[in-house]
Amino acid sequence: SSDVCSSDLITGRYMKGEMRIPGSLTKDEFEKDPFQANSTSSLRDDKRITNEGRLEIHYLDKFGKKSNNEIEITPYANLESYDRVTHDYLIINKLGLGLIANYLNVTLFSSHKNVFNIRGELLTQPQRTEDYENYSGNKNYYMEQLTSQKTAKMILCFSDDLEIFMNKLFALFTVRYDNLIYQFQEEMLPSRYGKTIYQAITPTLELKYKLTHRIDIYTSYGLIFNPPADNELDSPVLAYLYNQGLKAERSGNFEIGIKGVLIGEDSSSFFSRIKFRASFFNMKTDNELVPYEEYGDLYYRNADKSNHLGFIIRSMVDIYKNLTIDLLYRFCRFTYGSYTALSLLQDSTGTIIRTNRDFSWKYEPNVPKNYLNISLLYHHPIGKKINLFAKLSYSGMSGLWVDDGNSDKTTS
């Protein structure tokens, strides 16, 4: 016999907001007043005004024996409008049309459960960017440049989750294909045209072993592909429509850990439930995307090699009835392996010069080596559908390196 079950759902969202961009501070400026804005950003009134909406139509169908097959199809539309104000006043309008399709099959092979999944996404998104001169946060009437851009994205992912030993050992194998195409053209000078393509196939293998019914150990190794977003392709050289030398990140990530839940016999007693997770990770990256600043504007470049190593320990403990404590500790050692880049420096005469600098084996800035968060949470039901909620938290971290060259460090 077969069972068929289908459903339809339409969802939408809209968001409008404005964010002032304070810019970056030197260490002396930060220690004097951490809430002040960079003087250049303040004079230009750097900000980002956002209007965006999304509409999705979800269709879900389950069929087969015991509804062991599932198909979900989601066409969607994005409408986005941004005012991005820095040295120029940019008005950016995007319209995206896309489709997400997902197929899931659950089958038993000799009493071993197997879950097979195929997921794909297609997106086409034209974009129009108007460039005006910025007058203290207001645009000039004269348009300096008009560019069009088109983004085309295709993602295809296959995964298979196989139960190797009954309720003990599981293996998840995933293969993902990414293809991302950006096209740029200046409308006022159509001969200026550019196109760049980012594509890769990235496999991942994860093994999970159940020590008990509620405690698992796991390990995984996978390749990661991270192409730059369209705003990360901004070029510091006005002669180019986009940063032609910017490459996609390619990483190999190893992780091993343990996670589980310990539940006491009496749910009303002290420490009735303890949820915990501990993991170690080591990720080696080629062409890491690194932000940098020139004359108050943000751009991106690649670090040839980098290494992200660390471990995370987290535990949530139900102390008594509705009172819970959440503990999180993270250790990170993020370093550059091979990384040289042209940078702006001020010489002894006060002149700004461009020079090649070597940041190899330096620590990555703005990443604390040690981070600790402790939260105390309390919830109390005051009705069938209403809860009273309160949270008290403390966060602490070690000092941060302030730049790629590790020239200085903040206090803890």
Side-chain angles (χ1 to χ4, degrees):
S1 63
S2 64
D3 300 317
V4 178
C5 178
S6 63
S7 63
D8 302 284
L9 177 66
I10 299 176
T11 62
R13 68 171 185 266
Y14 172 75
M15 188 271 286
K16 181 176 182 179
E18 180 174 336
M19 179 176 64
R20 302 283 171 167
I21 303 174
S24 59
L25 301 174
T26 65
K27 183 186 176 185
D28 291 338
E29 290 171 337
F30 180 82
E31 291 180 343
K32 184 178 180 180
D33 181 5
F35 300 105
Q36 67 174 308
N38 175 284
S39 57
T40 301
S41 298
S42 181
L43 288 172
R44 300 187 313 196
D45 192 19
D46 288 1
K47 59 191 173 186
R48 184 184 179 103
I49 303 171
T50 301
N51 288 275
E52 61 181 35
R54 182 179 175 100
L55 178 67
E56 298 180 346
I57 302 175
H58 303 267
Y59 172 75
L60 177 65
D61 188 15
K62 295 183 179 181
F63 59 93
K65 290 185 178 180
K66 299 182 180 179
S67 299
N68 67 315
N69 294 281
E70 178 180 301
I71 292 179
E72 184 175 7
I73 300 174
T74 307
Y76 65 89
N78 293 326
L79 184 61
E80 305 172 24
S81 178
Y82 304 103
D83 287 21
R84 202 172 80 191
V85 185
T86 53
H87 67 286
D88 289 333
Y89 196 114
L90 302 181
I91 298 178
I92 304 170
N93 293 294
K94 303 179 181 181
L95 173 61
L97 298 175
L99 175 70
I100 300 173
N102 188 72
Y103 170 72
L104 183 72
N105 171 268
V106 181
T107 307
L108 290 177
F109 293 112
S110 302
S111 300
H112 295 270
K113 184 179 180 181
N114 184 80
V115 180
F116 177 71
N117 180 242
I118 303 176
R119 181 180 177 86
E121 180 177 2
L122 295 173
L123 169 68
T124 179
Q125 181 172 265
Q127 173 181 318
R128 171 189 167 104
T129 302
E130 302 173 10
D131 191 336
Y132 300 88
E133 189 174 354
N134 175 23
Y135 285 123
S136 301
N138 299 295
K139 70 180 181 71
N140 190 6
Y141 291 106
Y142 175 71
M143 186 190 301
E144 295 184 333
Q145 189 179 43
L146 174 63
T147 58
S148 63
Q149 175 184 324
K150 184 178 180 181
T151 302
K153 178 174 72 172
M154 181 176 71
I155 299 173
L156 189 60
C157 184
F158 299 86
S159 69
D160 193 80
D161 191 352
L162 175 64
E163 181 184 36
I164 299 175
F165 296 131
M166 184 69 68
N167 295 323
K168 279 295 183 180
L169 182 63
F170 301 82
L172 173 62
F173 180 67
T174 303
V175 177
R176 172 171 167 150
Y177 171 72
D178 288 83
N179 185 288
L180 180 63
I181 303 173
Y182 293 116
Q183 297 181 65
F184 306 85
Q185 185 165 13
E186 184 175 343
E187 297 297 329
M188 294 179 173
L189 188 62
S191 61
R192 297 190 67 201
Y193 171 83
K195 178 179 179 180
T196 184
I197 301 175
Y198 300 99
Q199 58 183 344
I201 297 175
T202 49
T204 300
L205 177 63
E206 178 179 344
L207 297 175
K208 181 178 71 174
Y209 183 78
K210 299 186 75 66
L211 293 175
T212 68
H213 179 61
R214 296 190 176 95
I215 300 178
D216 304 334
I217 57 174
Y218 65 92
T219 185
S220 68
Y221 181 81
L223 302 182
I224 301 172
F225 177 70
N226 181 33
D230 56 355
N231 64 310
E232 295 173 341
L233 282 168
D234 290 349
S235 175
V237 182
L238 296 178
Y240 299 114
L241 291 175
Y242 67 100
N243 189 343
Q244 299 183 4
L246 198 62
K247 303 174 184 177
E249 289 184 350
R250 295 176 181 267
S251 307
N253 183 61
F254 169 76
E255 183 174 350
I256 187 170
I258 183 172
K259 59 183 178 180
V261 180
L262 302 176
I263 299 178
E265 296 181 359
D266 185 0
S267 60
S268 63
S269 64
F270 286 96
F271 307 110
S272 60
R273 183 174 180 269
I274 301 174
K275 185 177 181 180
F276 64 92
R277 180 170 187 154
S279 62
F280 167 84
F281 63 89
N282 186 16
M283 182 169 68
K284 296 183 178 181
T285 301
D286 294 335
N287 304 317
E288 179 175 351
L289 294 168
V290 179
Y292 72 101
E293 187 181 285
E294 282 196 3
Y295 302 111
D297 297 317
L298 186 66
Y299 302 102
Y300 285 81
R301 60 194 178 198
N302 294 115
D304 292 339
K305 304 283 184 181
S306 67
N307 181 230
H308 294 179
L309 181 146
F311 62 85
I312 301 172
I313 300 173
R314 185 171 187 179
S315 178
M316 295 186 69
V317 181
D318 292 346
I319 300 175
Y320 184 69
K321 291 186 177 179
N322 300 326
L323 186 62
T324 303
I325 187 169
D326 185 356
L327 305 171
L328 170 66
Y329 173 73
R330 183 174 64 231
F331 170 84
C332 294
R333 185 179 180 273
F334 289 12
T335 57
Y336 297 122
S338 174
Y339 177 27
T340 58
L342 286 173
S343 302
L344 295 181
L345 291 177
Q346 193 175 50
D347 65 13
S348 58
T349 65
T351 304
I352 301 295
I353 60 173
R354 192 180 296 271
T355 183
N356 201 45
R357 300 183 64 191
D358 188 357
F359 303 118
S360 301
W361 312 113
K362 300 291 187 179
Y363 288 96
E364 295 190 17
N366 303 316
V367 179
K369 188 174 183 179
N370 298 282
Y371 174 80
L372 175 67
N373 180 268
I374 303 173
S375 299
L376 196 63
L377 304 97
Y378 177 80
H379 71 276
H380 181 74
I382 56 176
K384 290 183 177 180
K385 298 182 179 180
I386 301 176
N387 282 324
L388 182 66
F389 176 81
K391 180 179 179 179
L392 180 65
S393 63
Y394 163 81
S395 295
M397 67 179 69
S398 54
L400 306 174
W401 293 107
V402 301
D403 55 24
D404 289 335
N406 297 171
S407 61
D408 210 341
K409 195 174 186 180
T410 65
T411 56
S412 300

